Amino acid sequence: MKIFLLLMPLLLGCGSNNRTGEMGRTPVINLSDKVAEVSSLPLSEATAKVDVIPLQSTEKSILGRILKVQVTNDYIWVNHIIDSHGHLYRFSRSGKYLNKIGKLGQGPEEFTRMSDFIIDEEHQEVYIITTVSGIKVYDFEGNYKRDATKQKLFMDEAFSAKSSQFILYRQSFFLSQNLCVIKPIDNPKDSLWSIALMNSAFNKDKIFKNPVHIGKEKQIVAHRATPESGAVNYLTENSSSFDLYNDEFTLKYPDTDTIYQYDMERKDFIPQYAIFTEEKKGDYELTHWWIKDRKSFDYFTITGYYPTKDYIYLIGSKGDEIYTFCYNKEDKTVRKQVREGSITERKLPWFSQPFLHIDRPFVLKNDLLGGNFTVDYRSCGRYWVDVLEPGSDDNWIDVEQIKASTSCDEDKKQYFIRTLEVVDEDSNPILVIATLK
């Protein structure tokens, strides 16, 4: 297995002339110079159209808590939980229920716990990643085909990731994981990886490390999570951010100032954009504790990015403010929208301090239909999905706000309003699907 360490560009050592142009061959997104603050950012700048899709509700298609939605050219795939078990349903692009993928059970063609899924459109196959029995492959009708691997991939020897992710890019599989560490590690420098290229047997062929971790391996392992640690804190981080827009596999690691692009020939991630800011980012331990002090939120952080044809959107925060930056690829200008967020806390019985958290949703003004559009999921580098769940305080939308909004398509706006008004708490979610330019 090969190991590749990604080296982060040394932005803070650049001269001022590089802050607005390019650093070597890597374009710089400058978040501190001549940034125009705006009240909103329109969805129409990034997307060609928006569709409203109510998911059909039948006795066979009642959805529980949604974990993931993926939209492909012909279908909608929904991973959800009912009775503590994960299920994957296939819907048409109009929202009609088609079938369930796989079957719960202990048999060789069945699975008990699903952690993720991958859709292979080219071969019309679905990969179900289970927590105990490896990866099982089904066709689009839900019929079992084979085991891709029987080894357990949910938890690596080094990590217990909050959200491990599988990525399929040009028939190559990648596995991503984020801190925290839960087991002793003999060789931390070779073990604390963040993303891995998998071979045909789903073993790690080449691993890549978050540059922020380099040189801190012993520190990270020393603060690992153990059952006996009690109230002793441990280090954790946000998930890496990935995208497949324009058939490019790009990523941004947590707490780094670089967006990387995967090079198929070299099998390496190379810098695509560098991010410059004069904001202070805080001490590593302070910002990586699982149980954080309130002051750790006062430092600037970028947690996600969303590439489109003409723009790159960056999502971040400082204090209780949520930032959305919009970088124009052509003229290199940056706009910033500031929204009020909320640092929430909840008490945990085994910690004396409360658990503090802030959500950083990506929200654009839906000038195509009215109201706002929240990017809950992105799919295949072509679609953004806003999931509206009836009866939810968090994932619903104000119908009166939409009625009072202006939109580019009045007929579709009225259809959107009628669709929202006829649902009840027993209805399946409504998907608002934006197709990128």
Side-chain angles (χ1 to χ4, degrees):
M1 178 180 64
K2 299 178 182 178
I3 301 173
F4 184 72
L5 306 185
L6 294 172
L7 301 179
M8 181 170 57
L10 301 176
L11 295 178
L12 298 181
C14 299
S16 59
N17 60 323
N18 283 331
R19 294 179 180 179
T20 57
E22 294 189 357
M23 187 190 64
R25 295 183 179 179
T26 306
V28 175
I29 302 174
N30 192 326
L31 303 183
S32 293
D33 186 31
K34 298 179 181 179
V35 176
E37 188 165 328
V38 295
S39 59
S40 63
L41 294 166
L43 180 65
S44 61
E45 289 186 338
T47 62
K49 66 172 184 174
V50 174
D51 296 307
V52 178
I53 310 295
L55 296 179
Q56 183 183 24
S57 180
T58 69
E59 290 183 359
K60 293 182 177 181
S61 66
I62 296 175
L63 295 174
R65 181 167 63 90
I66 292 179
L67 300 179
K68 179 179 176 181
V69 174
Q70 184 167 340
V71 176
T72 59
N73 287 337
D74 300 313
Y75 305 110
I76 297 168
W77 309 82
V78 181
N79 178 14
H80 67 108
I81 288 182
I82 294 179
D83 298 329
S84 301
H85 290 287
H87 305 267
L88 180 60
Y89 290 172
R90 180 173 66 125
F91 294 83
S92 72
R93 283 298 303 268
S94 64
K96 179 182 178 181
Y97 173 72
L98 298 177
N99 59 275
K100 182 179 179 180
I101 304 297
K103 183 179 179 182
L104 292 177
Q106 302 290 338
E109 300 182 3
E110 301 169 334
F111 60 88
T112 54
R113 294 184 181 180
M114 176 175 61
S115 63
D116 201 354
F117 69 93
I118 304 169
I119 304 300
D120 183 352
E121 289 189 273
E122 181 176 336
H123 296 103
Q124 298 282 288
E125 291 182 336
V126 182
Y127 289 75
I128 299 292
I129 293 93
T130 74
T131 62
V132 294
S133 54
I135 299 177
K136 296 185 178 294
V137 184
Y138 300 84
D139 64 22
F140 278 12
E141 300 298 324
N143 302 307
Y144 172 83
K145 294 186 69 173
R146 67 186 185 277
D147 279 8
T149 177
K150 293 186 178 182
Q151 66 175 315
K152 179 175 156 184
L153 292 172
F154 178 68
M155 184 182 295
D156 184 72
E157 292 180 353
F159 290 86
S160 175
K162 291 185 296 183
S163 55
S164 57
Q165 302 173 73
F166 284 80
I167 303 100
L168 173 60
Y169 176 62
R170 296 187 183 180
Q171 297 306 306
S172 293
F173 289 91
F174 296 82
L175 170 61
S176 170
Q177 60 182 3
N178 58 307
L179 298 178
C180 62
V181 183
I182 63 170
K183 294 183 179 181
I185 298 175
D186 295 331
N187 189 355
K189 286 189 177 181
D190 293 346
S191 299
L192 293 179
W193 57 275
S194 298
I195 184 169
L197 171 64
M198 315 298 285
N199 61 24
S200 58
F202 282 87
N203 294 313
K204 295 185 289 290
D205 183 50
K206 189 174 185 180
I207 64 175
F208 306 88
K209 296 180 65 173
N210 183 341
V212 172
H213 299 164
I214 298 173
K216 297 183 176 68
E217 291 89 352
K218 291 183 179 180
Q219 176 187 5
I220 293 170
V221 174
H223 291 288
R224 65 188 180 90
T226 62
E228 65 273 10
S229 62
V232 176
N233 215 337
Y234 58 86
L235 300 176
T236 185
E237 65 184 356
N238 294 311
S239 299
S240 296
S241 187
F242 300 95
D243 209 286
L244 297 175
Y245 179 75
N246 198 29
D247 197 32
E248 295 177 346
F249 178 22
T250 56
L251 74 86
K252 182 186 178 300
Y253 294 102
D255 307 304
T256 61
D257 293 324
T258 306
I259 297 172
Y260 295 95
Q261 179 181 349
Y262 186 71
D263 187 308
M264 287 290 293
E265 293 184 2
R266 295 159 56 179
K267 293 186 177 181
D268 284 337
F269 288 96
I270 59 176
Q272 184 188 50
Y273 288 93
I275 302 168
F276 173 81
T277 177
E278 294 177 346
E279 295 277 5
K280 294 181 179 179
K281 298 181 181 179
D283 175 74
Y284 180 86
E285 283 196 0
L286 178 67
T287 58
H288 282 71
W289 288 131
W290 185 58
I291 301 295
K292 293 179 174 61
D293 291 330
R294 171 58 183 81
K295 62 182 179 181
S296 68
F297 291 89
D298 293 333
Y299 294 99
F300 179 82
T301 182
I302 293 292
T303 56
Y305 79 100
Y306 295 78
T308 65
K309 180 177 181 290
D310 300 312
Y311 305 96
I312 295 176
Y313 298 88
L314 300 171
I315 313 301
S317 66
K318 181 181 178 182
D320 56 4
E321 291 185 332
I322 310 300
Y323 300 140
T324 303
F325 295 93
C326 180
Y327 169 76
N328 187 311
K329 294 180 181 180
E330 182 177 356
D331 63 19
K332 318 303 181 187
T333 59
V334 177
R335 288 172 289 162
K336 179 176 74 170
Q337 179 195 16
V338 182
R339 294 179 290 112
E340 183 179 349
S342 177
I343 301 173
T344 60
E345 66 174 58
R346 60 186 176 96
K347 293 183 179 180
L348 301 177
W350 55 92
F351 280 95
S352 58
Q353 289 180 261
F355 177 79
L356 301 180
H357 174 74
I358 184 169
D359 288 320
R360 305 175 182 90
F362 177 26
V363 181
L364 297 174
K365 179 182 178 181
N366 192 346
D367 55 330
L368 297 170
L369 295 180
N372 291 325
F373 183 96
T374 301
V375 183
D376 292 319
Y377 301 96
R378 44 183 157 180
S379 298
C380 304
R382 296 188 295 270
Y383 308 106
W384 288 346
V385 184
D386 187 0
V387 180
L388 305 180
E389 299 182 67
S392 170
D393 294 331
D394 299 322
N395 294 342
W396 192 239
I397 195 165
D398 188 345
V399 179
E400 297 304 319
Q401 179 192 33
I402 297 174
K403 291 179 179 179
S405 301
T406 58
S407 69
C408 301
D409 190 331
E410 187 63 26
D411 290 340
K412 187 169 285 189
K413 171 185 170 181
Q414 293 304 319
Y415 171 75
F416 188 27
I417 292 171
R418 292 194 300 271
T419 302
L420 293 171
E421 289 181 331
V422 299
V423 304
D424 55 39
E425 291 188 0
D426 296 325
S427 299
N428 271 341
I430 298 169
L431 305 186
V432 185
I433 301 175
T435 301
L436 298 178
K437 292 180 179 178

